Amino acid sequence: MGTKITIRAIIELVGKPKEHIERTIKEYVDKIQETKEYEVLKVDFSEIQKQDGTEFWATFAELELTSDMQNLTTFCFDYMPAVIEILSPEKMTINDSQISEFFNDLQARLHEVNLVAKQMKMQIDMMNRNTANLFRNYIAVLLGKGDLTSEQISKFTGVPKEMVEDYLDHMIDEGKVKMEGEKYIFVRKEVVNNGSEETS
């Protein structure tokens, strides 16, 4: 797609600490300027400002740059601008092969994003399962030392009481914990002479 398009783009960043956001926005723009596919015509940086009622800082860079449609599609995926405005040309003529190339490139990018999203979901699911197992083992260790209420377990672990009780309910269903009054008791399994297990 040889037609050159000039755009105005705004790239926003929010985060902390302040120095990191200031450095990162400049690194973003430097990387764009170093990319041969983009001809950067103008750059303006806003003053960094603290978000009301938070510890986060926000800033943005406004750029004017020229490239073709295919590379501008890549630009949008790589840098996720908050705003895109086409400055020129006012009209363009695009043939069928150019449209096909544009949509094929767009689809390839979407597949990449979808793959990354699925991989991230798998990693998060695995991390959540491992964290849940670790926390349940920690509860078992605590109850192995003595009977405790959910509030006491919450204080020991730093986990909210409601979440602790959700885990304890699952452990009761699994027969690993039982409840007497407000206290939770670890169910110990003992092997008797015939090889069977008894709980206590």
Side-chain angles (χ1 to χ4, degrees), residues 127-138 167:
M127 184 174 65
N128 287 340
R129 286 195 300 270
N130 291 340
T131 302
N133 289 334
L134 180 63
F135 184 62
R136 287 162 68 167
N137 288 339
Y138 188 26
Y167 280 99

mmCIF file of all heavy atoms in Angstrom, residues 127-138 167:
data_model
loop_
_atom_site.group_PDB
_atom_site.id
_atom_site.type_symbol
_atom_site.label_atom_id
_atom_site.label_comp_id
_atom_site.label_asym_id
_atom_site.label_seq_id
_atom_site.Cartn_x
_atom_site.Cartn_y
_atom_site.Cartn_z
ATOM 1 N N MET A 127 -1.507 -20.288 37.725
ATOM 2 C CA MET A 127 -1.037 -19.567 38.902
ATOM 3 C C MET A 127 -2.118 -19.531 39.980
ATOM 4 O O MET A 127 -1.831 -19.715 41.169
ATOM 5 C CB MET A 127 -0.633 -18.142 38.522
ATOM 6 C CG MET A 127 -0.036 -17.343 39.674
ATOM 7 S SD MET A 127 0.579 -15.729 39.142
ATOM 8 C CE MET A 127 -0.955 -14.946 38.640
ATOM 9 N N ASN A 128 -3.379 -19.324 39.560
ATOM 10 C CA ASN A 128 -4.481 -19.304 40.526
ATOM 11 C C ASN A 128 -4.655 -20.660 41.200
ATOM 12 O O ASN A 128 -4.892 -20.735 42.415
ATOM 13 C CB ASN A 128 -5.782 -18.891 39.835
ATOM 14 C CG ASN A 128 -5.812 -17.412 39.493
ATOM 15 O OD1 ASN A 128 -5.073 -16.624 40.068
ATOM 16 N ND2 ASN A 128 -6.659 -17.032 38.551
ATOM 17 N N ARG A 129 -4.532 -21.741 40.411
ATOM 18 C CA ARG A 129 -4.652 -23.084 40.996
ATOM 19 C C ARG A 129 -3.524 -23.343 41.985
ATOM 20 O O ARG A 129 -3.749 -23.873 43.082
ATOM 21 C CB ARG A 129 -4.639 -24.145 39.890
ATOM 22 C CG ARG A 129 -5.921 -24.232 39.085
ATOM 23 C CD ARG A 129 -5.982 -25.516 38.277
ATOM 24 N NE ARG A 129 -4.881 -25.613 37.331
ATOM 25 C CZ ARG A 129 -4.933 -25.150 36.082
ATOM 26 N NH1 ARG A 129 -6.027 -24.546 35.646
ATOM 27 N NH2 ARG A 129 -3.903 -25.283 35.275
ATOM 28 N N ASN A 130 -2.304 -22.976 41.598
ATOM 29 C CA ASN A 130 -1.162 -23.192 42.490
ATOM 30 C C ASN A 130 -1.283 -22.364 43.770
ATOM 31 O O ASN A 130 -0.961 -22.838 44.862
ATOM 32 C CB ASN A 130 0.145 -22.845 41.768
ATOM 33 C CG ASN A 130 0.475 -23.830 40.660
ATOM 34 O OD1 ASN A 130 -0.036 -24.949 40.649
ATOM 35 N ND2 ASN A 130 1.316 -23.426 39.727
ATOM 36 N N THR A 131 -1.750 -21.120 43.613
ATOM 37 C CA THR A 131 -1.933 -20.259 44.784
ATOM 38 C C THR A 131 -3.000 -20.822 45.710
ATOM 39 O O THR A 131 -2.844 -20.818 46.941
ATOM 40 C CB THR A 131 -2.318 -18.832 44.343
ATOM 41 O OG1 THR A 131 -1.295 -18.311 43.491
ATOM 42 C CG2 THR A 131 -2.482 -17.914 45.543
ATOM 43 N N ALA A 132 -4.096 -21.315 45.119
ATOM 44 C CA ALA A 132 -5.172 -21.898 45.924
ATOM 45 C C ALA A 132 -4.678 -23.122 46.686
ATOM 46 O O ALA A 132 -4.965 -23.288 47.882
ATOM 47 C CB ALA A 132 -6.352 -22.268 45.028
ATOM 48 N N ASN A 133 -3.918 -23.986 46.005
ATOM 49 C CA ASN A 133 -3.385 -25.183 46.671
ATOM 50 C C ASN A 133 -2.416 -24.809 47.786
ATOM 51 O O ASN A 133 -2.423 -25.415 48.865
ATOM 52 C CB ASN A 133 -2.688 -26.085 45.655
ATOM 53 C CG ASN A 133 -3.671 -26.756 44.712
ATOM 54 O OD1 ASN A 133 -4.834 -26.960 45.056
ATOM 55 N ND2 ASN A 133 -3.212 -27.096 43.518
ATOM 56 N N LEU A 134 -1.586 -23.807 47.522
ATOM 57 C CA LEU A 134 -0.633 -23.353 48.537
ATOM 58 C C LEU A 134 -1.362 -22.811 49.764
ATOM 59 O O LEU A 134 -0.994 -23.118 50.908
ATOM 60 C CB LEU A 134 0.273 -22.272 47.939
ATOM 61 C CG LEU A 134 1.348 -21.684 48.858
ATOM 62 C CD1 LEU A 134 2.341 -22.768 49.270
ATOM 63 C CD2 LEU A 134 2.083 -20.546 48.159
ATOM 64 N N PHE A 135 -2.410 -22.024 49.528
ATOM 65 C CA PHE A 135 -3.148 -21.436 50.643
ATOM 66 C C PHE A 135 -3.882 -22.506 51.445
ATOM 67 O O PHE A 135 -3.912 -22.462 52.679
ATOM 68 C CB PHE A 135 -4.133 -20.391 50.121
ATOM 69 C CG PHE A 135 -4.861 -19.659 51.212
ATOM 70 C CD1 PHE A 135 -4.166 -18.895 52.135
ATOM 71 C CD2 PHE A 135 -6.241 -19.741 51.320
ATOM 72 C CE1 PHE A 135 -4.829 -18.220 53.155
ATOM 73 C CE2 PHE A 135 -6.910 -19.068 52.328
ATOM 74 C CZ PHE A 135 -6.207 -18.307 53.247
ATOM 75 N N ARG A 136 -4.444 -23.487 50.754
ATOM 76 C CA ARG A 136 -5.137 -24.563 51.463
ATOM 77 C C ARG A 136 -4.158 -25.387 52.294
ATOM 78 O O ARG A 136 -4.475 -25.816 53.408
ATOM 79 C CB ARG A 136 -5.888 -25.432 50.455
ATOM 80 C CG ARG A 136 -7.116 -24.727 49.908
ATOM 81 C CD ARG A 136 -7.626 -25.320 48.638
ATOM 82 N NE ARG A 136 -8.177 -26.648 48.816
ATOM 83 C CZ ARG A 136 -8.907 -27.255 47.890
ATOM 84 N NH1 ARG A 136 -9.158 -26.643 46.756
ATOM 85 N NH2 ARG A 136 -9.385 -28.455 48.095
ATOM 86 N N ASN A 137 -2.960 -25.596 51.761
ATOM 87 C CA ASN A 137 -1.940 -26.305 52.540
ATOM 88 C C ASN A 137 -1.540 -25.498 53.777
ATOM 89 O O ASN A 137 -1.294 -26.060 54.849
ATOM 90 C CB ASN A 137 -0.705 -26.577 51.680
ATOM 91 C CG ASN A 137 -0.955 -27.647 50.635
ATOM 92 O OD1 ASN A 137 -1.873 -28.454 50.767
ATOM 93 N ND2 ASN A 137 -0.157 -27.647 49.579
ATOM 94 N N TYR A 138 -1.482 -24.182 53.612
ATOM 95 C CA TYR A 138 -1.137 -23.314 54.738
ATOM 96 C C TYR A 138 -2.214 -23.391 55.818
ATOM 97 O O TYR A 138 -1.914 -23.459 57.020
ATOM 98 C CB TYR A 138 -0.963 -21.879 54.239
ATOM 99 C CG TYR A 138 -0.426 -20.906 55.262
ATOM 100 C CD1 TYR A 138 0.354 -21.332 56.328
ATOM 101 C CD2 TYR A 138 -0.697 -19.549 55.148
ATOM 102 C CE1 TYR A 138 0.855 -20.434 57.259
ATOM 103 C CE2 TYR A 138 -0.199 -18.636 56.079
ATOM 104 C CZ TYR A 138 0.569 -19.093 57.130
ATOM 105 O OH TYR A 138 1.057 -18.203 58.050
ATOM 106 N N TYR A 167 -12.539 -21.005 51.177
ATOM 107 C CA TYR A 167 -11.575 -22.108 51.120
ATOM 108 C C TYR A 167 -11.930 -23.188 52.142
ATOM 109 O O TYR A 167 -11.856 -24.385 51.855
ATOM 110 C CB TYR A 167 -10.157 -21.591 51.375
ATOM 111 C CG TYR A 167 -9.501 -20.961 50.171
ATOM 112 C CD1 TYR A 167 -9.473 -19.584 50.003
ATOM 113 C CD2 TYR A 167 -8.903 -21.751 49.197
ATOM 114 C CE1 TYR A 167 -8.870 -18.999 48.896
ATOM 115 C CE2 TYR A 167 -8.293 -21.178 48.087
ATOM 116 C CZ TYR A 167 -8.284 -19.800 47.944
ATOM 117 O OH TYR A 167 -7.682 -19.238 46.842
#
